[in-house]
Amino acid sequence: MEQGHEDFDDLVRLRRQLHQHPELRFAEHRTAATLADRLTPFARVRTGIAGTGLLAEIDGRADGSSVLLRADMDAYPIQDAKEVEYASGNPGVCHACGHDVHMTVMYGVAARLAADPPARGSVTVLFQPAEEIPFGEASGAAAALVHEALRGRRYDAVLGLHCWPDLPVGAIGVDRETAMAAKDAFRIEVLGRAAHAATPALGRDAILGLSGIVNLLHAGVARSRNPHDLVAFNIGTISGGASQSQVAAHAEATGTLRTHDEATRERLKGVIERIARQQAAALDLGLRFTWANEMPPVRNAASLVRLAHTELPGPVDVVDLTEPPLTTDDFALLGALGPSLYVKLGVTGERGGAPLHSGAFDVDERCLGVGVTALERLTRAVLDGRLPADDAGEYRERIVAGRGDRSAGAEAVRA
């Protein structure tokens, strides 16, 4: 297995340093400083992108094509459960989604490109804050897009990767078209009337109403999807009530709908909202329904998929991924900057591994060299003009179809 970097131990040190000092969304100050210190000797570094993010730019020997590489910076709000020397020193915060690996890989690619500049073209590395998005909060990618350093820019390729525990170390997974699903988050607030628990007829029970809505939603979505549709529906939080002896006047739930197909997405959103409103009305309850964090799917450009299958076999094991996942990523919004490719980095060693968003998540660190090799080869191939004929018409159609989603993301930033 090719390690992909002259100083593999240095990559391991950086990854462990980042893992030991994780920071939450839009608070990645130490992380940004660590990266800026390392990048400044060989790249033009611009800080303050979307608050705590940064750009590193590297030029070739002559003008030419341009590539944007992206790594997300934020950690996940979960306790690190690993007993390792580089375990998180920040209680309740952990790099449980591999963003420490993503940053290290992109740093390694930048270092390699600076050490041996391409004959032509330029590379911009975006270290983006706030990929993890709680309900109703802003996307780091959306915030970066409205920053003047990126606003209106176009690149010949936008490349990213994500740790993938389903793949062994040494492998790079390439989805044929959809690399991540669309995600639509929602909040349901049920409005009742308080009363003493001894006189429930005088009240309107918001908790009882919400419990019925939750059950009906699961059944309604299941019966409204076609068997071949890839769909995931989840209610993730429920809260409400003020006392065990009171009929609850308020209860709320939040959840997500994840889809791949746009028609299925819109149809099921209608089903969810209609069921919630009809059930609340049937029980004489008020209802506030809110959609937020509407994220389009991550689509891989066909030309870049072909490039990966041409350039990567040999140094890495390329896996053709035929069933796209239902995870999501705001990398989708960066498709506004150019044709994109989002690959999956195998991170699981012989001893197995924990899933993403688990406090036990860790990687076989040999994946660092594999990631550097893969992204460097793809970047140089684009800059050298080896990109197959661009599917320009198909790409323009995707941008037009996704404008509504990107506008929603931008509104979240302005809000």
Side-chain angles (χ1 to χ4, degrees):
M1 183 188 305
E2 187 170 327
Q3 297 293 4
H5 195 269
E6 286 79 2
D7 192 352
F8 173 70
D9 291 340
D10 185 55
L11 291 181
V12 171
R13 283 192 294 272
L14 174 58
R15 182 259 164 169
R16 293 186 178 188
Q17 181 182 7
L18 295 171
H19 195 90
Q20 195 169 12
H21 302 285
E23 295 171 299
L24 294 176
R25 59 192 321 270
F26 291 127
E28 307 93 334
H29 301 287
R30 178 174 180 150
T31 302
T34 297
L35 293 168
D37 286 346
R38 279 179 161 264
L39 291 161
T40 297
F42 59 79
R44 294 193 310 278
V45 176
R46 181 165 184 173
T47 59
I49 307 299
T52 48
L54 61 153
L55 290 177
E57 297 179 301
I58 299 165
D59 293 328
R61 299 184 182 93
D63 292 340
S65 300
S66 61
V67 174
L68 177 72
L69 302 171
R70 177 269 207 167
D72 33 16
M73 302 167 63
D74 54 324
Y76 196 71
I78 192 172
Q79 181 64 37
D80 195 341
K82 301 185 300 297
E83 294 184 1
V84 293
E85 62 181 14
Y86 53 87
S88 170
N90 188 358
V93 182
C94 176
H95 272 298
C97 205
H99 297 187
D100 54 332
V101 173
H102 305 168
M103 289 183 282
T104 302
V105 166
M106 293 310 181
Y107 163 79
V109 175
R112 274 203 155 193
L113 291 168
D116 181 16
R120 55 187 178 273
S122 63
V123 176
T124 301
V125 186
L126 167 64
F127 294 92
Q128 175 215 303
E131 186 276 327
E132 305 287 357
I133 309 173
F135 181 86
E137 296 192 24
S139 151
L145 282 172
V146 299
H147 191 279
E148 56 91 14
L150 288 175
R151 189 169 56 243
R153 291 284 300 272
R154 292 293 180 271
Y155 297 87
D156 294 281
V158 179
L159 306 177
L161 87 169
H162 201 293
C163 291
W164 215 243
D166 292 344
L167 293 175
V169 65
I172 292 287
V174 181
D175 293 280
R176 295 181 178 182
E177 181 181 9
T178 304
M180 293 279 187
K183 181 185 80 172
D184 296 285
F186 58 87
R187 179 173 61 212
I188 303 168
E189 296 178 86
V190 178
L191 311 175
R193 185 168 67 237
H196 195 288
T199 56
L202 300 178
R204 293 289 183 270
D205 193 339
I207 288 179
L208 180 62
L210 180 59
S211 65
I213 289 171
V214 168
N215 288 329
L216 286 172
L217 285 176
H218 278 285
V221 170
R223 298 302 291 174
S224 299
R225 60 179 290 271
N226 295 314
H228 61 272
D229 290 334
L230 287 172
V231 173
F233 174 79
N234 185 61
I235 299 290
T237 69
I238 293 179
S239 62
S243 166
Q244 63 180 5
S245 296
Q246 183 192 63
V247 173
H250 179 271
E252 69 174 61
T254 62
T256 58
L257 172 70
R258 299 165 188 264
T259 55
H260 289 157
D261 176 72
E262 190 62 29
T264 300
R265 178 187 186 188
E266 292 306 314
R267 178 167 51 80
L268 292 181
K269 286 175 67 177
V271 168
I272 291 167
E273 190 165 349
R274 183 171 64 252
I275 287 174
R277 293 190 183 282
Q278 290 178 346
Q279 178 67 3
L283 297 174
D284 194 21
L285 294 163
L287 186 129
R288 286 196 293 259
F289 194 104
T290 307
W291 291 103
N293 308 132
E294 296 169 294
M295 194 62 59
V298 175
R299 304 289 196 193
N300 284 341
S303 55
L304 288 166
V305 170
R306 291 197 297 271
L307 185 72
H309 284 286
T310 300
E311 295 290 331
L312 297 185
V316 302
D317 298 325
V318 179
V319 179
D320 178 22
L321 300 178
T322 58
E323 184 171 309
L326 285 159
T327 47
T328 63
D329 196 298
D330 68 357
F331 181 85
L333 300 179
L334 300 180
L337 301 177
S340 60
L341 178 70
Y342 202 52
V343 299
K344 312 295 175 54
L345 176 65
V347 298
T348 301
E350 293 82 359
R351 291 180 293 176
L356 297 171
H357 288 194
S358 161
F361 176 75
D362 205 352
V363 302
D364 183 322
E365 289 174 322
R366 292 177 295 170
C367 71
L368 300 171
V370 176
V372 171
T373 295
L375 269 295
E376 183 199 5
R377 288 178 71 91
L378 289 172
T379 299
R380 290 190 186 275
V382 173
L383 298 180
D384 289 344
R386 300 200 298 274
L387 184 64
D390 187 24
D391 305 327
E394 176 188 1
Y395 175 65
R396 281 193 295 269
E397 289 175 6
R398 288 178 184 165
I399 292 301
V400 170
R403 275 177 183 161
D405 297 303
R406 275 185 286 275
S407 297
E411 288 297 331
V413 175
R414 288 190 287 271

